[in-house]
Structure formats: structure tokens, C-alpha cells
Amino acid sequence: MKNLVLAFAILFSATTSTFAQSRATLQKMYINFLKGEGYETSIDDDGDVNFEADGRTYFIEVNEDDLEFFRLVLPNIWPIESELERIQVMEACNKANFKVKTAKAYATDDNVWIAVEVFLEKPDDFEAIFERSLGVIDYCVDIFVEAMDEE
């Protein structure tokens, strides 16, 4: 029984250590890249990496459970102020999602977020698509806002 408990303790500490290592490694990789591109960075309470570009605050989700998943997010682009507006937002999100590759516009709580989500062969492959991902988010914002203005 002692051996089983010892084996479990070793396995648990190794898993916890790997989890922390993966998270820290991803954070460091994203921060080093962003700093190299001239962005100031910070880590939020969730462990995600924040940065500003063109007056907007983005974050890169740090997802240590799926190292080949990359998610770049522009949160809080449009506050939802009524239930009627929520319906308009859903229609505008649908239009943006239909028109824009890899981007997702969606409502979370009472605000609209836009994200680019992709699977990569290796975690550091995000560097090759980073600028295009920013552009896709900008385009998705434009489509969303245009759809909201049509209402």
C-alpha cells in the first residue's frame, strides 16, 4: 500500500510540474515573440498573455492542455445593452462568422468577443500566422459593426 501511495505522489508531482512547465513555457514563448515585434505584454489572472495593438487590447490564450491549439482574442468589442440588441448581435455574429475564415464572433456575458482559433503542428508555428490573425480579427470587427449598423 505504501508503494502505491508513493507511486501516486510521484506521478501527481510530475504531472503538476509538467503542467506548470508547459504553461510557463507557452507564456514565455508568446511574450518573447510579442516583445520582439515591439508589443508590451502582461499576464492576466487566467495566465493568458495580454498585449495592445492599434489601440486594442488582445490576449493569447495559454492552453497547456492542447499545445497545438492557438487562440488570439479581442474581447469586449461591443456591449450588449438589451435583449433586443442581443438578437441583433447574434445575427451580426452569424454574418461575420459566415464571411470571415478562422474567426469567431460570439457573445459572452453581455459583450461581444472575436477570436481566431487554429490548430498548429507545433506551438511556435503561431508566429507565421500572427499578423494575418490580427488582420482577420480586424476584418471580422468591420463585418460585425457593419452588420450592426444595418439594423
Side-chain angles (χ1 to χ4, degrees):
M1 183 67 168
K2 285 183 183 179
N3 289 340
L4 182 60
V5 170
L6 180 61
F8 179 74
I10 290 169
L11 178 63
F12 178 75
S13 67
T15 302
T16 303
S17 174
T18 302
F19 170 81
Q21 172 106 25
S22 295
R23 180 182 203 132
T25 300
L26 285 173
Q27 288 169 334
K28 185 176 180 180
M29 178 183 64
Y30 294 142
I31 288 170
N32 287 342
F33 172 78
L34 290 167
K35 284 185 176 180
E37 297 295 307
Y39 298 105
E40 290 187 29
T41 64
S42 64
I43 297 175
D44 65 21
D45 293 341
D46 295 329
D48 300 323
V49 177
N50 297 312
F51 67 98
E52 259 191 52
D54 299 323
R56 295 177 172 163
T57 301
Y58 296 79
F59 70 85
I60 300 175
E61 180 180 299
V62 176
N63 189 333
E64 60 276 351
D65 294 330
D66 189 351
L67 299 177
E68 288 79 32
F69 177 70
F70 176 72
R71 184 171 189 238
L72 174 62
V73 181
L74 176 60
N76 306 319
I77 68 155
W78 189 282
I80 303 169
E81 297 174 349
S82 70
E83 289 309 307
L84 179 59
E85 186 176 49
R86 185 177 306 280
I87 294 167
Q88 294 171 317
V89 161
M90 292 298 125
E91 291 172 2
C93 285
N94 190 45
K95 183 177 260 183
N97 290 338
F98 180 76
K99 284 190 169 189
V100 184
K101 297 174 187 172
T102 75
K104 288 183 181 177
Y106 57 94
T108 181
D109 297 323
D110 288 325
N111 220 305
V112 175
W113 292 22
I114 297 182
V116 167
E117 299 180 350
V118 295
F119 293 109
L120 305 168
E121 188 170 326
K122 298 179 309 213
D124 62 347
D125 286 348
F126 83 94
E127 295 178 7
I129 63 162
F130 180 78
E131 286 299 323
R132 186 168 184 189
S133 296
L134 284 176
V136 165
I137 288 176
D138 285 343
Y139 179 56
C140 195
V141 168
D142 292 344
I143 297 298
F144 173 83
V145 170
E146 180 181 296
M148 288 300 291
D149 287 344
E150 290 175 358
E151 298 299 323

